Amino acid sequence: MSKKDIKSMTYGEICDIMKSSGYPSFRAKQLFSWIYKTESFDEMTNLPKDMRAFLSENYYIPKATPEKKLVSAVDGTVKYLFSFEDGEMIETIVMKYKHGNSVCISSQVGCRMGCSFCASTVGGLVRNLTAGEMLAQFQYADRDTEGGISNIVIMGIGEPLDNFDNLVRFLTNINDENGINMSHRHISVSTSGLCERIRELADMKLQITLSVSLHAPNDEKRSKLMPVNKKYGVNELMAACDYYVSKTNKRISYEYTLISGVNDNASDALELAALLKNRLAHVNLIPVNAVKGKDQRASNAKRVKDFEEILLSKGITATVRRTLGSDINASCGQLRRDHKETAGDMNVLRQN
Ligand code: SAH
């Protein structure tokens, strides 16, 4: 029988295991908090030896093993390439801000959404990450970052709402007072716009921030950039967003990546402003990161500024995202992809 990932289990499930295995209930609390401090049952020194043996025989604690760590000389942004037990790799990024450190975690190995500008989707979806593997990324980054991590954005490789059950487990566990106890107010989840899942999330009334990757103000342009738009068009997406706001009363962040000559015209800005008018919305403008093998280029600084000003003049709040880690190959998915192409080199690196 294969061992089970204990970091993906909720506190309630661990209580049930303690009960069915004949251990007193206070052990659940101890065990749950240990899972977020160590990857080895042997180190759980206040648990009885027989219990540690029972746990080692039946469970494992997933960990994120760093294969590469790049640190930006420009702004201190850190990018990790992590591997998991089966050898699959993802990327995790730590961004340093005045108000604290944020970690951007991945939710899947690869992605099946097929967005035309995105490196993560090249090669498609390999597999979902478990909640434990998502937590392990946070945990490694938290330990490795001076001052720790105070915010989480689920905006790395993958579509989090395409891995819904594991995402919900992750959100449940990170918020549990017996473990990390991080408030959902410090967590953002980004989606390409899976409408049923947005509604499901809305019904849960969590305090997380929802980011919606919009990138174009109408179906014609959005369908060219994001195949998901052929399934859920802009109107359907906005209806799901309105439902989300009605249930949570939380403002939605709309991500809009500016691609030269594609979606950065004044008319696009005006159309976007009209779309978001009277909606609880904030727009994040991001000049597209050029991805190897793709021909999209970022809008120039003037275009970006003009676009922002049109939105502001129409009463839509918007900010231009600062580009972080420009010297370490910023946009997510590229490191994993480069690694796959040069896997031979990496083996050498690992042996050293
Ligand atoms: N699948 C989710 C989360 C991962 S992508 C989503 O689509 O939201 C995180 C964000 O980065 C999204 O807004 C995505 O559209 C954006 N993104 C992807 N590739 C990019 C690139 N090359 N340049 C700028 N932003 C990019």
Side-chain angles (χ1 to χ4, degrees):
M1 199 186 72
S2 62
K3 294 184 184 184
K4 289 195 183 126
D5 164 2
I6 201 161
K7 205 184 275 192
S8 291
M9 294 183 181
T10 62
Y11 178 61
E13 288 167 343
I14 287 181
C15 288
D16 291 345
I17 294 170
M18 292 296 100
K19 209 172 183 180
S20 61
S21 317
Y23 293 106
S25 59
F26 73 91
R27 295 290 184 205
K29 218 175 188 134
Q30 289 177 313
L31 174 57
F32 192 80
S33 74
W34 270 118
I35 291 168
Y36 296 100
K37 295 186 189 118
T38 173
E39 278 84 31
S40 159
F41 293 114
D42 289 338
E43 286 178 17
M44 302 182 177
T45 43
N46 60 355
L47 301 184
K49 261 202 166 134
D50 69 296
M51 181 176 163
R52 282 186 262 159
F54 160 77
L55 291 169
S56 304
E57 257 166 51
N58 296 288
Y59 301 95
Y60 74 97
I61 307 175
K63 59 172 187 260
T65 305
E67 300 289 338
K68 244 186 201 182
K69 175 181 174 182
L70 303 178
V71 182
S72 164
V74 181
D75 52 40
T77 299
V78 179
K79 188 159 182 168
Y80 302 95
L81 181 69
F82 285 128
S83 65
F84 295 112
E85 272 75 3
D86 64 355
E88 291 298 345
M89 295 188 194
I90 50 86
E91 293 170 35
T92 305
I93 299 169
V94 172
M95 297 157 291
K96 315 248 166 103
Y97 298 103
K98 276 193 210 92
H99 61 265
N101 302 316
S102 282
V103 67
C104 173
I105 66 171
S106 294
S107 56
Q108 295 179 314
V109 180
C111 183
R112 60 174 175 162
M113 303 318 291
C115 299
S116 70
F117 46 82
C118 182
S120 303
T121 204
V122 179
L125 175 67
V126 178
R127 68 169 175 87
N128 284 330
L129 293 185
T130 66
E133 288 169 334
M134 294 168 71
L135 288 157
Q137 297 171 60
F138 163 80
Q139 214 170 330
Y140 190 99
D142 190 46
R143 286 181 197 153
D144 199 41
T145 305
E146 205 187 316
I149 298 291
S150 49
N151 290 284
I152 302 178
V153 294
I154 308 178
M155 264 194 198
I157 297 172
E159 167 51 54
L161 300 194
D162 188 35
N163 185 14
F164 197 77
D165 294 348
N166 291 327
L167 171 75
V168 170
R169 272 178 184 274
F170 168 85
L171 293 172
T172 306
N173 283 358
I174 199 135
N175 183 229
D176 196 300
E177 60 180 11
N178 298 301
I180 296 166
N181 197 14
M182 178 180 277
S183 161
H184 283 164
R185 290 176 194 280
H186 296 282
I187 302 178
S188 296
V189 175
S190 183
T191 180
S192 56
L194 302 184
C195 292
E196 287 106 348
R197 297 308 199 185
I198 291 176
R199 287 171 185 271
E200 216 169 313
L201 204 57
D203 288 333
M204 296 169 78
K205 297 189 179 165
L206 304 176
Q207 286 302 306
I208 56 165
T209 298
L210 185 67
S211 289
V212 172
S213 299
L214 193 56
H215 304 318
N218 58 47
D219 284 334
E220 199 198 332
K221 288 199 176 186
R222 193 165 188 266
S223 292
K224 279 192 195 138
L225 295 173
M226 305 177 71
V228 65
N229 196 71
K230 292 176 190 149
K231 183 158 187 204
Y232 310 101
V234 172
N235 285 341
E236 197 175 342
L237 176 58
M238 294 321 292
C241 290
D242 291 344
Y243 183 77
Y244 189 87
V245 172
S246 75
K247 288 284 171 179
T248 63
N249 210 20
K250 298 272 292 179
R251 183 175 82 166
I252 291 182
S253 279
Y254 290 91
E255 309 295 309
Y256 196 103
T257 185
L258 288 159
I259 309 170
S260 181
V262 174
N263 62 357
D264 65 345
N265 275 316
S267 61
D268 296 316
L270 287 167
E271 210 176 335
L272 179 62
L275 185 68
L276 298 182
K277 198 172 166 57
N278 299 327
R279 290 192 148 106
L280 209 50
H282 179 90
V283 178
N284 281 317
L285 297 170
I286 316 138
V288 74
N289 278 303
V291 170
K292 210 161 64 181
K294 295 183 184 272
D295 54 9
Q296 287 134 331
R297 294 289 165 262
S299 310
N300 66 36
K302 181 169 183 320
R303 264 293 157 98
V304 174
K305 192 85 208 130
D306 289 350
F307 202 97
E308 182 189 21
E309 268 164 19
I310 293 173
L311 294 179
L312 295 175
S313 74
K314 296 286 172 191
I316 307 294
T317 63
T319 37
V320 177
R321 270 260 199 91
R322 204 156 48 98
T323 310
L324 291 171
S326 52
D327 55 333
I328 54 167
N329 199 357
S331 81
C332 213
Q334 302 206 61
L335 196 58
R336 171 173 171 262
R337 203 176 134 202
D338 290 351
H339 173 78
K340 277 195 148 176
E341 285 167 7
T342 56
D345 301 350
M346 203 59 198
N347 288 337
V348 175
L349 217 133
R350 236 185 270 169
Q351 281 163 15
N352 291 339

